[in-house]
Amino acid sequence: MADVKARLEQMLKDDHASGGGGVTNEQLKDAFGDEFDDLPAIINDLINSDKVELLQGEGRTTLAYQWIPEDRAARLGELTNEQRLVLQVVERADTSGVWLRDIKSATSMQQQTLNKALKVLESRKLVKTVRSVQQKTKKLYMAYDLAPTREVSGGPWYTDHEFDHEFVAAIKTVVVGCVKALGNCTLDDIHTAVLGTKVSTVPLSTSDVRTVVEALLADSQLERLHSDLGERFKATKPCVNTDWVAEVPPGQCPWPRCRAENGGTCNAETCLYLGAWLDESA
């Protein structure tokens, strides 16, 4: 029995170290054969001693067993049944998080008991609170080691739960500059170039860069090209050179003296300002 337990523990440890999703009963049957019947008692003992946890719930079609690292096992130690129940509800929500009212509904706990359980779980760094960009006044609860989904955090475009207009404008400028430097280029080319500028302190995925590119296409700052080589992009050029606009005189004479000397009226033939402008332009 001791040999079976040691082999089981090593199998679970190897699965955890490789980032696996736990070991299923089918895998255990294949690995242990006739010794599989000895495993339930061993597994129950490991679960009760906080060395193994049972994975189940939404998104899983089969049960699985996962090894618990020592640091997490220490944090799980001496949790009450109520606290463990709350932790299970929060962990099932995964990276989407769960609202307080949904935890209360799932556990049927009194508010005072629930609040105490959450406080203990937060102090042991098993649970944390995050705020959604969609519901800024409400807190979501999530497993401590998980990062919230982009639907919750807003992704790289949000800072402290607020849309970061300055950062987005800066990224747009960088993208246009990269496309101008690259010329006819792909989305991957743009993504690589943007990362090379180190303009962002947060990771930007290809999808993030595509979002910026699509916005620049809508602003007519970039142009989409379709060819045998696939989708490509280039920077657009102004259809009309508008530099001359700064050199055109205003439509209304800005000199009061002109109207005063012409009986209160001013036209192109008698305008003193226009005459002076024409002399400078000659």
Side-chain angles (χ1 to χ4, degrees), residues 81-94 96-111 113-119 121-122 126-130 139-143:
N81 291 334
E82 290 85 359
Q83 293 160 1
R84 288 177 183 271
L85 178 58
V86 172
L87 180 61
Q88 290 174 5
V89 173
V90 173
E91 289 183 333
R92 280 203 299 268
D94 203 37
S96 296
V98 58
W99 302 111
L100 180 62
R101 67 172 182 272
D102 295 328
I103 301 176
K104 185 176 181 179
S105 175
T107 60
S108 300
M109 287 185 187
Q110 295 294 326
Q111 190 67 52
T113 304
L114 177 56
N115 289 342
K116 182 178 179 180
L118 287 169
K119 186 175 181 179
L121 295 174
E122 288 186 77
L126 290 166
V127 165
K128 64 182 177 183
T129 60
V130 296
K139 293 187 294 185
L140 282 168
Y141 289 88
M142 184 179 300

Side-chain angles (χ1 to χ4, degrees), residues 50-65:
D50 291 324
K51 292 184 177 181
V52 169
E53 59 186 336
L54 184 63
L55 303 181
Q56 58 184 337
E58 297 178 8
R60 301 193 65 92
T61 56
T62 58
L63 298 180
Y65 309 99

Side-chain angles (χ1 to χ4, degrees), residues 224-238:
R224 195 194 315 267
L225 305 174
H226 295 283
S227 67
D228 294 338
L229 300 176
E231 184 182 51
R232 304 180 79 84
F233 304 92
K234 71 174 185 178
T236 57
K237 296 180 179 179

Side-chain angles (χ1 to χ4, degrees), residues 157 166-176 194 199-200 204 212:
W157 317 126
E166 291 185 4
F167 176 66
V168 172
I171 294 294
K172 282 185 172 183
T173 300
V174 168
V175 169
V176 172
V194 170
V199 66
S200 175
L204 292 177
V212 177

Side-chain angles (χ1 to χ4, degrees), residues 245-258:
V245 173
E247 302 176 3
V248 175
Q252 183 175 354
C253 178
W255 286 5
R257 182 168 63 89
C258 183

Side-chain angles (χ1 to χ4, degrees), residues 42-217:
I42 298 174
I43 291 173
N44 284 335
D45 180 60
L46 292 173
I47 291 175
N48 292 333
S49 58
D50 291 324
K51 292 184 177 181
V52 169
E53 59 186 336
L54 184 63
L55 303 181
Q56 58 184 337
E58 297 178 8
R60 301 193 65 92
T61 56
T62 58
L63 298 180
Y65 309 99
Q66 188 173 65
W67 184 258
I68 301 176
E70 289 184 9
D71 61 333
R72 178 174 168 82
R75 285 179 281 161
L76 289 172
E78 299 182 1
L79 288 182
T80 65
N81 291 334
E82 290 85 359
Q83 293 160 1
R84 288 177 183 271
L85 178 58
V86 172
L87 180 61
Q88 290 174 5
V89 173
V90 173
E91 289 183 333
R92 280 203 299 268
D94 203 37
T95 56
S96 296
V98 58
W99 302 111
L100 180 62
R101 67 172 182 272
D102 295 328
I103 301 176
K104 185 176 181 179
S105 175
T107 60
S108 300
M109 287 185 187
Q110 295 294 326
Q111 190 67 52
Q112 184 177 357
T113 304
L114 177 56
N115 289 342
K116 182 178 179 180
L118 287 169
K119 186 175 181 179
V120 170
L121 295 174
E122 288 186 77
S123 68
R124 295 197 180 193
K125 295 186 176 180
L126 290 166
V127 165
K128 64 182 177 183
T129 60
V130 296
R131 293 191 182 276
S132 170
V133 295
Q134 299 174 357
Q135 296 281 348
K136 298 176 184 178
T137 59
K138 295 182 179 180
K139 293 187 294 185
L140 282 168
Y141 289 88
M142 184 179 300
Y144 186 84
D145 297 327
L146 296 181
T149 62
R150 288 177 174 238
E151 289 76 14
V152 173
S153 68
W157 317 126
Y158 282 77
T159 301
D160 296 330
H161 312 292
E162 297 292 340
F163 188 75
D164 196 334
H165 294 276
E166 291 185 4
F167 176 66
V168 172
I171 294 294
K172 282 185 172 183
T173 300
V174 168
V175 169
V176 172
C178 289
V179 174
K180 286 181 177 179
L182 293 167
N184 190 328
C185 56
T186 66
L187 182 65
D188 287 336
D189 294 333
I190 301 171
H191 180 230
T192 301
V194 170
L195 294 183
T197 66
K198 301 187 184 303
V199 66
S200 175
T201 58
V202 296
L204 292 177
S205 65
T206 304
S207 176
D208 294 328
V209 174
R210 174 173 285 282
T211 299
V212 177
V213 168
E214 292 294 338
L216 292 168
L217 289 170

